[in-house]
Amino acid sequence: MMIHICENCHTPISMKIIRGNVHICCPDCHQAYCLDQKSIKRYMFIPFLCVIFAVMTSMHFLKDASIDIKTIYILGVSFVLAALFTWLCVKIGILKYEKKKENK
């Protein structure tokens, strides 16, 4: 799934769900990109909202379930929702990437 297009070589950069998407790199020219400062603040809010949603739905739908089932549900749902919302926020333009600045 494409997440960003490289400004140098116009190669699509794909999303790595397990590794995260704050820092991405072009597979062809190896140009590094990272979320801008405003987007990082928004990005930090996404997992928090996903965990709240997962806890609230587990309290509603899994009232009589054991704590093990609720924990697995909360972890699974929050992980999937966080990955989905991050991808959607990048596609919509809420999260934006900029070229990574060189440290000298």
Side-chain angles (χ1 to χ4, degrees):
M1 180 179 343
M2 186 192 69
I3 187 170
H4 187 67
I5 295 178
C6 181
E7 295 173 5
N8 294 339
C9 62
H10 304 290
T11 302
I13 302 171
S14 62
M15 175 181 269
K16 306 286 189 243
I17 293 175
I18 302 296
R19 291 177 39 199
N21 298 303
V22 174
H23 302 282
I24 58 175
C25 184
C26 177
D28 288 344
C29 69
H30 302 291
Q31 173 64 47
Y33 293 92
C34 61
L35 291 174
D36 62 1
Q37 198 66 20
K38 198 178 213 182
S39 295
I40 288 176
K41 291 177 183 176
R42 293 176 183 157
Y43 178 78
M44 297 298 285
F45 200 58
I46 291 172
F48 180 71
L49 289 176
C50 293
V51 169
I52 289 175
F53 178 79
V55 168
M56 297 306 266
T57 57
S58 75
M59 289 171 57
H60 182 73
F61 294 118
L62 302 173
K63 289 179 185 172
D64 298 329
S66 69
I67 192 69
D68 298 337
I69 300 296
K70 287 182 181 180
T71 303
I72 292 169
Y73 175 82
I74 290 169
L75 290 174
V77 168
S78 60
F79 178 77
V80 170
L81 281 178
L84 178 67
F85 284 140
T86 301
W87 179 77
L88 283 174
C89 288
V90 169
K91 283 294 199 184
I92 293 170
I94 295 172
L95 300 177
K96 297 179 180 168
Y97 287 94
E98 64 185 2
K99 284 186 178 179
K100 193 170 185 179
K101 296 177 179 93
E102 299 275 332
N103 291 338
K104 294 181 181 181

